[in-house]
Amino acid sequence: MTRWLDLSVPVVTGMPVYPGDPEVTVSPALRAPADGVNVLSLHLGSQSGTHVDAPYHIDDAWPRLDELPLSRFTGRAVVADVRGLTPRSPITPELLAPALDAFAPDAVLLLATGWSAHWGTDAYADHPWLTPAAAEAVVAAGVRTVAVDALSVDPSGPDADPALPAHRVLCGAGAVIAENLTRLDRLVGVADAEVFLFPLRLPGADGAPVRAVARLGGA
């Protein structure tokens, strides 16, 4: 039996955003009693909530969101279970080795850190992060789509590196990065999951919010 699992965080007013990004506001623009229809007004950034980064997010010379194939946003899920790490721990190539050994072309690498449990708290910025060497190992394994249940694949908070080295390695290889996913722990040990990360169609964009979902049990 096919089951669907929502991997997205809700888009609501005041939701957490990366420091410096636009704040999110969701409010009524039209109301059915007065206007005949209900319509929301949305104010948010391209990196709000569960979203994908195009390579252009890091470098003006790299592909923009609408220049990437749709196939880059879906694939069989391969989960790297890196739960249990302490705050601000590096995710090394050794920790990813079991998942990368099982990786196949056109799959999506999911980094299950367990950090989505801290969504909405100060601790969310203390997530584990990919070392540049780990990012290079991901690229060498043929991965071109990486998703994580944390604020970033690079360090945040006091350890943040403005150069975003893991982003630069991944995006430099033409990969897309999805961040702020949730419930990835539900996919650990699941062999038949397919992931969908389709973004809003924003021409020339650096990224966009997505409704990230997983389909379990086949079509």
Side-chain angles (χ1 to χ4, degrees):
M1 177 183 295
T2 299
R3 293 186 295 120
W4 292 90
L5 180 65
D6 198 333
L7 306 176
S8 311
V9 297
V11 177
V12 298
T13 296
M15 69 189 293
V17 297
Y18 195 85
D21 279 10
E23 296 293 331
V24 175
T25 303
V26 181
S27 60
L30 300 174
R31 300 300 301 266
D35 306 300
V37 291
N38 288 310
V39 175
L40 288 176
S41 172
L42 305 177
H43 179 272
L44 70 167
S46 56
Q47 306 282 317
S48 297
T50 306
H51 67 274
V52 293
D53 298 347
Y56 177 69
H57 180 49
I58 299 300
D59 195 301
D60 283 357
W62 292 347
R64 300 171 188 241
L65 188 64
D66 56 333
E67 295 172 334
L68 298 169
L70 289 175
S71 59
R72 199 64 54 85
F73 304 102
T74 186
R76 183 177 66 85
V78 174
V79 182
D81 186 1
V82 290
R83 295 173 297 171
L85 294 175
T86 57
R88 305 181 195 170
S89 291
I91 301 172
T92 63
E94 293 75 20
L95 291 173
L96 299 182
L100 295 182
D101 288 345
F103 196 80
D106 300 322
V108 175
L109 179 65
L110 303 177
L111 305 178
T113 70
W115 228 254
S116 59
H118 301 292
W119 174 255
T121 73
D122 291 342
Y124 193 61
D126 298 331
H127 57 83
W129 47 274
L130 276 181
T131 66
E136 290 167 0
V138 166
V139 168
V143 178
R144 293 298 179 269
T145 310
V146 180
V148 65
D149 56 354
L151 184 59
S152 176
V153 293
D154 279 294
S156 303
D159 300 324
D161 183 344
L164 299 175
H167 274 79
R168 187 158 292 277
V169 170
L170 296 171
C171 291
V176 298
I177 303 167
E179 295 164 328
N180 290 331
L181 279 77
T182 188
R183 305 171 81 188
L184 292 189
D185 58 303
R186 300 274 296 273
L187 297 179
V188 173
V190 176
D192 60 350
E194 186 177 7
V195 177
F196 303 87
L197 304 166
F198 292 113
L200 297 176
R201 191 173 183 178
L202 298 177
D206 59 280
V210 306
R211 182 71 178 268
V213 299
R215 181 170 61 189
L216 291 73

